[in-house]
Amino acid sequence: MHFAETFLHSAWVILALPLLTSALIAAFARSLQRKAWIFGTGMMLVALFWSIMTFIAVAGGGHGAAEAAHEGAKFLIEPAWHIQWDAWGQFGSYNMKMGLQVDGLTAVMLVVVTLVSACVQTYASAYFDGGEKRFTRFYAAINLFTTGMLGLVLADNLFLLLVCWEIMGLCSYLLIGHWYEQEWPRMGQIKAFLTTRVGDVGMMIGIFILFFLAKDLTWVGLAEKLPEVIAEHGALLGLGAFLLFTGAMGKSAQFPLHTWLPDAMAGPTPGSALIHAATMVAAGVYLVGRAFMVYGNAPGWVLVVVAFIGAFTSLFAASIATLRHDIKEVLAYSTISQLGYMIMALGLGGWAAGNFHMMTHAFFKALLFFAAGSVIHAHHHNQFLHKMGGLRKKIPITFAVWMAGYLALAGFPGFSGFFSKDELLLAAWTWHPEGVHMAGWLLKLPFIMGLTTAFLTAYYMTRATYLAFFGKPRDHHLYDHAHESPWQMWAPMAVLAVLSVFSGWGWAALPNEWFGGEWMLFFEHLFHMPGIEHVAEASAAHAVTAMATTAGLTGIGLGLLLYKVVSPNTRAKWISAGKPIYNLVRNKYYVDEIYNVLFIETTKVLSKGISWFDGNVVDAIVNGLGKVGTQLADATGWFDKTVVDRLVTIWADISRGIAAQFKRMATGLVQQYMLTLVIVVVASVVLFQVIR
């Protein structure tokens, strides 16, 4: 354990390695070229090893236990390692503190981020063909992106978190628009950047409010000072907490700031896996979880709003995913839905459950994106499910790993998603918000929405799985040329497939009752936080597990029924019968169209109006003033030439005339000069006498 402690106390190296890698790849891009993946992956594997040793030190040393870092500070876990620079910056009387810390949640996220990033870099080496001209740029951006996420989870204060947050925003712009010659990536990167900026502006205002109230942005300082602030500034603290959450809404694609994420599919699939699994979208969930000292002390309505936004987003996105035809778009809306699950759990007080699902989701969603990329790669870049079919025979390795991710996402018993989803729903079932009076049906609404989401998730993933891998080929030309991916692509998928199956067993509450294995509650202890008690009766846990399992299996059964048993003609008749509802869901509830009218078209109309006003009013005023100025200038010029110049030149003429007269006196005769001198002297004496 002493060996692992060495890595823990130098955890800053985990952050430094990808930053250095990104800089070196960018600096020596011409020399590295295709070898950039070896250098990038190698350095990330070192960071992964460092993260694993740090995790072992934290978990094995008991640092993940729920201990308050300071007396009376709730919603704060004592860091296992903490380094801070007190004199980082001086602003008036305030001394800016900046530092890094590692606790149980950080240790887990370090492993997740570095593992997925290493898998992405290995996978991308074969995903891009030899003609990819921005190969090194992709690797530089991926490593900088990873740096941003690692800095975010290591930050001990909101200011450093915000800096890393914006680094990720920049890198997502670069990754989504990697193929910027095409219109879709260009539009996707702009949409992602602008949409998330909406949430980021609210987040920054929320940070300003928190600083105004607590005069501190460190997690320790906020946990100590906010319990006192709530008594005098409760309403303002609630506003600050909600505005902070708007940043999470943007980054984690919560309704109504969710529309950017499906368009982010325009980027390369390896980049999509990193954005949608372990980094950018998880950042919003991590923010809410890490800043829980703010939400735990804020008025109760804030967490209620968080819970309902998450629950609605999960159901809303899951319903849209049921009718997507693009395999990556199905996974994109699935990501939005699962992020809604996590946000819902945090809002319900299920802090550990939300963070646990964030970890398991990172594994199986990265796996599914990799598998989707492998399908697209094998199918000659076709992404449409209705052109696939029967691919399990052509790409058996991809099919096997896809099944692991599919069953985990669908919540099939024994897979990681089964355990983390159950904890989410259990938190919803036992929800009793503090300080907020609600009707009984409202208390159960998040659970109902979450359970319905579980059913829809199992259904749309079964639909996508059947359309891609089962049945008969729908495009024989594409099918005949399909081929398995190289080892650089399936090896990372195999690693993630193992984790998608087994990572959930670290919190297998129900099997723990049967076998009594304490290790089955490992993550429950690691993620436990002071100030949050989530105790449920065994009967409630069993009931939730039964309902969730039934919902998942029913969704799987419905998917098989509709696409294996029911004929396409029958499905077409059912669609015609429910055409209005079908069109509504198929068109994603027209949210993009509404935004287009409210913001884009309105902005265009407003811009045209401003342009008309500028051309017809402002320009008229400016041109009129210009004409007046021109006429005034002409008059001034005439006066200058006629009057002022004449006044100046007349004195010159007088001077020249006098000078001409005096010139005659310059004869060169000394006698004449002496006579003149005498005359001047005599005249001067006479004049002096007269004047006196």
Side-chain angles (χ1 to χ4, degrees), residues 10 132 146 199:
S10 56
E132 178 55 50
T146 306

Side-chain angles (χ1 to χ4, degrees), residues 34 125-133 135:
R34 296 290 298 186
S125 65
Y127 180 83
F128 290 114
D129 56 35
E132 178 55 50
K133 58 185 177 182
F135 189 80

Side-chain angles (χ1 to χ4, degrees), residues 24-358:
L24 290 176
I25 291 176
F28 300 101
R30 192 179 297 274
S31 301
L32 287 171
Q33 295 184 0
R34 296 290 298 186
K35 295 178 181 177
W37 84 269
I38 300 175
F39 179 62
T41 306
M43 294 289 277
M44 192 54 61
L45 288 173
V46 175
L48 172 60
F49 173 75
W50 216 289
S51 300
I52 292 172
M53 298 309 296
T54 299
F55 174 77
I56 292 172
V58 172
H63 297 295
E67 301 174 7
H70 293 268
E71 191 69 27
K74 296 172 65 176
F75 310 110
L76 183 70
I77 298 175
E78 183 178 7
W81 172 78
H82 190 196
I83 182 173
Q84 191 173 69
W85 300 275
D86 289 337
W88 185 84
Q90 192 77 29
F91 301 95
S93 60
Y94 175 68
N95 185 23
M96 174 72 77
K97 297 178 181 179
M98 191 71 63
L100 306 174
Q101 70 174 44
V102 175
D103 58 16
L105 178 59
T106 302
V108 171
M109 290 304 297
L110 290 176
V111 174
V112 170
V113 173
T114 52
L115 172 64
V116 175
S117 182
C119 290
V120 164
Q121 296 191 53
T122 305
Y123 181 96
S125 65
Y127 180 83
F128 290 114
D129 56 35
E132 178 55 50
K133 58 185 177 182
R134 281 186 286 274
F135 189 80
T136 51
R137 168 179 159 162
F138 177 83
Y139 275 86
I142 281 289
N143 280 280
L144 185 59
F145 200 175
T146 306
T147 301
M149 187 63 187
L150 291 173
L152 184 142
V153 301
L154 283 166
D156 76 336
N157 62 89
L158 267 170
F159 179 78
L160 181 57
L161 182 145
L162 179 62
V163 172
C164 296
W165 187 276
E166 295 305 326
I167 290 174
M168 292 169 59
L170 169 64
C171 292
S172 67
Y173 177 84
L174 297 175
L175 290 171
I176 296 168
H178 181 77
W179 293 311
Y180 54 76
E181 301 92 344
Q182 304 170 26
E183 183 179 4
W184 186 28
R186 286 201 309 272
M187 299 304 294
Q189 68 178 168
I190 294 172
K191 188 174 184 179
F193 193 80
L194 293 179
T195 305
T196 54
R197 289 291 79 73
V198 173
D200 291 355
V201 170
M203 176 183 173
M204 290 180 66
I205 297 173
I207 291 175
F208 296 155
I209 292 174
L210 293 177
F211 180 76
F212 170 76
L213 295 175
K215 299 298 186 291
D216 204 328
L217 291 178
T218 63
W219 307 130
V220 173
L222 291 171
E224 287 182 332
K225 296 174 182 178
L226 289 182
E228 300 176 3
V229 169
I230 185 66
E232 298 182 6
H233 304 286
L236 190 57
L237 178 58
L239 177 62
F242 175 74
L243 289 173
L244 187 67
F245 174 64
T246 60
M249 290 174 64
K251 274 288 192 288
S252 291
Q254 298 298 286
F255 182 86
L257 301 180
H258 66 284
T259 56
W260 69 268
L261 196 143
D263 287 15
M265 295 293 95
T269 297
S272 300
L274 194 61
I275 291 173
H276 290 225
T279 52
M280 184 164 171
V281 295
V285 179
Y286 179 85
L287 170 65
V288 179
R290 176 56 73 197
F292 212 81
M293 68 283 296
V294 176
Y295 295 96
N297 289 297
W301 66 266
V302 179
L303 281 180
V304 171
V305 171
V306 170
F308 275 102
I309 288 177
F312 176 79
T313 301
S314 66
L315 180 58
F316 175 81
S319 66
I320 295 175
T322 60
L323 293 179
R324 297 297 94 197
H325 299 320
D326 185 318
I327 189 170
K328 285 180 67 176
E329 198 175 9
V330 172
L331 297 179
Y333 278 100
S334 171
T335 299
I336 298 173
S337 179
Q338 296 302 303
L339 291 167
Y341 254 163
M342 302 171 209
I343 293 293
M344 178 191 74
L346 293 172
L348 298 171
W351 189 86
N355 288 311
F356 181 51
H357 193 63
M358 178 170 60

